[in-house]
Amino acid sequence: DSGFWHQDSFLGGPMRLGAAVKSVNREVGIMNHLMGAGGPHWCEDPVVDRENQAFNTARALIRIRRSCYPLRTELDVAAGDGAQLAYWKMHDGREDMLIEEQPLGMLVVLSISPEPSIEARKYRLPRSLRYTEGQAFIDLLHPQRLAMVFTSSNGTFLLVPAELDPSHVSIFAPVETAVKDLEGSDWMVCRGVSLPPLRDTCKETARSDMWLTAGLVILWIV
């Protein structure tokens, strides 16, 4: 039966494989039957956990990308030193996005190491970026982390503070282009773009609406 050919992301499915999210991983199992008509609504399904760090980080990354134009261009410049995947995302000069609130370049750092880093790192600025010494950058995902542009005899760099987490994602933008996203959110986005509010579809969906849907399905079957 094709119902056994895939991994399911709901409690009633027959094949619930392991997950990186602990609360979801607790529901792991392979059943000998397909899903019946019962089971919890997806808003109450423990396999569809929307309170974990992975979900919140993905939601933040989507909103950051929508607000920061350089993240959506095809222009990037490598900035890593071999121990990290790091690159600059560059503005491509699109006229309607050449506004003061938008950054001209952003540094993305993906760090996966067995041990935390206790030393600051520096990343060379692309020559097309004219940020001067003293320019502050802020990590949009972790606004408590600030980086600073400095100039030395062999070029201009962005100095990033040490990272205490072994696995980490950072997206640095000039501090004046960043703004807090939503009340209660712990990330920032780029200025100059209007983002839609976050929707809670579970709160918007009344239980009476679900009973109406179920009744119509029963009438259609009968």
Side-chain angles (χ1 to χ4, degrees):
D1 192 301
S2 61
F4 292 101
W5 295 355
H6 56 81
Q7 177 179 357
D8 296 301
S9 56
F10 48 88
L11 190 60
M15 190 173 294
R16 303 191 302 270
L17 303 184
V21 179
K22 291 183 179 179
S23 61
V24 177
N25 198 53
R26 285 197 295 265
E27 307 298 334
V28 64
I30 299 178
M31 311 303 161
N32 60 2
H33 59 273
L34 293 178
M35 178 182 179
H41 185 265
W42 71 269
C43 293
E44 304 163 354
D45 195 325
V47 178
V48 193
D49 177 18
R50 291 168 291 120
E51 301 298 330
N52 60 79
Q53 182 181 0
F55 179 88
N56 289 329
T57 299
R59 181 168 61 176
L61 288 171
I62 290 171
R63 294 180 68 82
I64 290 172
R65 187 177 186 274
R66 292 184 67 176
S67 68
C68 303
Y69 180 67
L71 296 179
R72 306 197 303 273
T73 73
E74 297 180 356
L75 301 181
D76 55 80
V77 178
D81 56 5
Q84 296 178 326
L85 174 60
Y87 54 93
W88 288 91
K89 291 297 294 182
M90 309 291 291
H91 201 298
D92 62 3
R94 189 175 123 182
E95 291 187 3
D96 62 325
M97 295 304 296
L98 276 176
I99 55 179
E100 185 177 354
E101 294 90 346
Q102 283 288 305
L104 298 178
M106 303 176 66
L107 178 68
V108 179
V109 181
L110 308 177
S111 176
I112 302 177
S113 59
E115 297 179 356
S117 172
I118 59 174
E119 296 181 356
R121 291 178 178 269
K122 62 180 183 180
Y123 301 89
R124 184 183 296 274
L125 264 70
R127 292 186 177 182
S128 59
L129 285 183
R130 301 302 181 184
Y131 294 120
T132 58
E133 188 168 30
Q135 169 69 55
F137 278 65
I138 190 168
D139 185 350
L140 299 182
L141 279 173
H142 309 88
Q144 71 276 13
R145 300 185 72 223
L146 292 176
M148 191 73 66
V149 173
F150 76 97
T151 300
S152 65
S153 58
N154 58 342
T156 301
F157 300 85
L158 183 68
L159 182 65
V160 175
E163 176 48 54
L164 300 182
D165 293 332
S167 298
H168 192 78
V169 179
S170 297
I171 303 177
F172 287 95
V175 67
E176 68 274 7
T177 67
V179 64
K180 189 176 180 64
D181 184 12
L182 299 164
E183 185 66 31
S185 67
D186 56 1
W187 65 85
M188 303 184 78
V189 294
C190 291
R191 296 180 181 272
V193 175
S194 178
L195 294 176
L198 286 175
R199 295 178 57 189
D200 190 334
T201 53
C202 287
K203 291 183 178 179
E204 295 174 3
T205 304
R207 299 297 298 184
S208 58
D209 293 341
M210 289 183 258
W211 282 112
L212 177 61
T213 301
L216 291 174
V217 171
I218 292 174
L219 288 175
W220 177 75
I221 294 175
V222 174

